[in-house]
Amino acid sequence: MASMNLNRVYIPANARNNQYILAEFKPENKFYDCFDNLKSCYERIARQLFALCDEYELHNVHLIANDKLPIVRFHEESHCLQTEKQILFFYNPQYHEAHKTYYHDDTAAKKIRLLFLATGDDIRANAAHFHNKVTKTLDALHNALTFKNVTFKVRDHQHLTYDVFAKSKGNKESYGYKLRSLYPRYQARNCTLPADHSEMTYATFSIPVTRSLKTEYQHLLLSDDCSQFYKTIEDLFLSACTNKHLTHSAFVANGRLPIIRNSRTDKSDGNCELQKLSFNIDNSDVQIKSIWQSDGLVDTMHFVVVAKASDKKDVGYGKFMNQVESMVKTFTSSLAISPQKQDINIRFFQHISYQY
């Protein structure tokens, strides 16, 4: 059906929508000096924050002051898991609610982060309204803080997740999306964003290294060298991207989770858990990031396709996502992945960030 309208992508009706807004600021020493101790600082901010959230009907909000990066995913059960570098929130927007704090009372956080998780139904349709409620809360919190000279960096994240093989599994019902960019979509819904902002739009998918995949490529897997296996996967992926005119892409197979950033504001970097990848979306030249470890086989391989500025159409990113879907199907068919038996979940990301 997608071929009927290149600017509209048909996504399974059971696709999952998520939205969260991260507002963070870097407290200086004189900010902390306004409080008796670190615990009283964090607890006071939390009390003010959660009181305002009750007023503006924000039902799932967290104060994070342990310098761990929040990662948000859909799950039928509510969980918060922490690693050395990440704090992972799993929740279902339809019924999970919480107001919680996470901090070390003996360590001053380099960043204080406020995480607002969207709740309720029709997350995408109500995204602008949710954003307005968050900015009203930030305004009120800023006025309530003892130390006024605080600038928030606000990041609005929206995800649309679905199995690209849903139709092969009998899920025939779909809905046509134009996937408009956030700025005009918010403007049309009376949500004003600063003209000076940064946007990123991209899609990710992951492929587990299953027994069948290892069997298929066992001739390339040596006990201490997986380079030929990864190089083969890389070549197949990049060839599929080239055929669909997708120029900004990444293949990550080093055990780290890829985090995508705009090169205007962030440089590529990494730690033991996260792989930050920066792309210049204003430059149409081919940009490829390929990072894998030759001395070990990972459990999961991650793939990223970033929309460049020229992929941003007035009607939306529907054409871009049709290209991505077609590429994923071509790529996975070359890996002998069964559409009837294995899920390949595409996650379509839209991010917008600005100083507030």
Side-chain angles (χ1 to χ4, degrees):
M1 273 194 297
S3 60
M4 295 169 59
N5 187 343
L6 292 177
N7 293 314
R8 190 183 294 267
V9 58
Y10 287 85
I11 291 175
N14 62 353
R16 302 190 301 269
N17 278 289
N18 276 66
Q19 181 187 12
Y20 67 94
I21 295 176
L22 185 64
E24 63 184 30
F25 67 94
K26 295 181 180 180
E28 299 178 354
N29 289 335
K30 50 188 176 181
F31 176 88
Y32 286 119
D33 290 343
C34 296
F35 303 89
D36 293 335
N37 52 56
L38 291 174
K39 183 176 181 179
S40 68
C41 168
Y42 301 139
E43 292 294 343
R44 181 174 173 183
I45 296 173
R47 283 195 300 272
Q48 294 171 332
L49 171 65
F50 297 149
L52 291 167
C53 289
D54 286 336
E55 179 180 347
Y56 290 108
E57 300 182 321
L58 295 167
H59 304 303
N60 202 331
V61 181
H62 305 268
L63 184 148
I64 304 167
N66 58 10
D67 289 324
K68 296 182 181 182
L69 181 69
I71 304 293
V72 179
R73 294 291 185 264
F74 176 92
H75 203 281
E76 289 295 348
E77 297 182 7
S78 177
H79 296 288
C80 178
L81 307 176
Q82 297 193 50
T83 66
E84 180 183 347
K85 302 294 183 181
Q86 304 171 68
I87 179 165
L88 300 100
F89 294 89
F90 297 89
Y91 86 115
N92 186 323
Q94 290 188 321
Y95 46 79
H96 290 144
E97 300 178 356
H99 285 168
K100 293 185 178 180
T101 59
Y102 304 87
Y103 63 86
H104 301 300
D105 55 17
D106 59 350
T107 305
K110 296 176 182 177
K111 292 182 180 179
I112 295 179
R113 295 180 167 104
L114 314 179
L115 178 65
F116 302 85
L117 305 179
T119 56
D121 300 318
D122 299 321
I123 296 297
R124 190 172 180 85
N126 293 318
H129 181 55
F130 174 65
H131 194 105
N132 273 334
K133 292 197 294 184
V134 170
T135 54
K136 288 177 182 178
T137 301
L138 294 177
D139 281 335
L141 181 64
H142 188 276
N143 291 331
L145 288 175
T146 302
F147 191 72
K148 305 293 185 183
N149 190 22
V150 166
T151 299
F152 291 103
K153 182 167 185 178
V154 177
R155 292 190 177 99
D156 188 327
H157 303 252
Q158 294 184 38
H159 308 163
L160 186 60
T161 307
Y162 61 98
D163 178 14
V164 72
F165 295 137
K167 188 178 294 186
S168 299
K169 298 180 179 68
N171 299 312
K172 305 296 185 182
E173 186 179 356
S174 63
Y175 183 82
Y177 285 84
K178 293 180 181 178
L179 301 178
R180 295 178 66 201
S181 63
L182 293 186
Y183 192 75
R185 184 149 58 92
Y186 278 19
Q187 281 184 314
R189 290 168 172 78
N190 298 315
C191 178
T192 303
L193 300 178
D196 186 12
H197 63 269
S198 176
E199 285 193 71
M200 286 290 289
T201 300
Y202 59 95
T204 69
F205 65 99
S206 300
I207 296 178
V209 181
T210 60
R211 181 177 59 182
S212 60
L213 191 61
K214 286 186 283 188
T215 301
E216 179 76 16
Y217 291 99
Q218 60 182 343
H219 60 290
L220 301 178
L221 291 169
L222 305 178
S223 59
D224 58 350
D225 186 2
C226 302
S227 57
Q228 286 303 309
F229 170 74
Y230 288 133
K231 192 70 176 70
T232 298
I233 300 296
E234 176 188 323
D235 289 345
L236 291 171
F237 172 60
L238 295 181
S239 175
C241 287
T242 299
N243 288 339
K244 301 303 176 183
H245 310 290
L246 299 167
T247 58
H248 293 40
S249 59
F251 167 44
V252 177
N254 61 354
R256 300 174 184 176
L257 179 69
I259 303 295
I260 312 306
R261 294 289 186 262
N262 192 318
S263 61
R264 283 192 340 189
T265 55
D266 275 303
K267 295 181 179 180
S268 294
D269 198 3
N271 57 39
C272 59
E273 297 180 15
L274 303 170
Q275 188 68 58
K276 185 191 295 184
L277 305 172
S278 293
F279 289 87
N280 183 347
I281 62 173
D282 297 315
N283 189 331
S284 295
D285 293 343
V286 174
Q287 296 174 42
I288 297 170
K289 319 284 185 183
S290 187
I291 304 172
W292 38 264
Q293 54 184 46
S294 61
D295 60 348
L297 194 60
V298 295
D299 295 326
T300 305
M301 300 181 292
H302 301 285
F303 304 87
V304 180
V305 183
V306 177
K308 54 189 180 295
S310 59
D311 291 317
K312 181 180 179 179
K313 310 297 183 183
D314 290 339
V315 291
Y317 286 96
K319 182 179 179 180
F320 167 75
M321 279 307 294
N322 278 321
Q323 291 173 291
V324 172
E325 274 200 15
S326 182
M327 178 276 293
V328 171
K329 290 175 180 177
T330 299
F331 172 49
T332 53
S333 68
S334 65
L335 301 179
I337 289 176
S338 170
Q340 293 78 24
K341 296 180 180 180
Q342 188 168 335
D343 291 352
I344 298 295
N345 288 317
I346 291 182
R347 184 172 284 115
F348 173 69
F349 290 80
Q350 287 182 288
H351 294 181
I352 193 164
S353 63
Y354 56 89
Q355 298 291 332
Y356 191 69

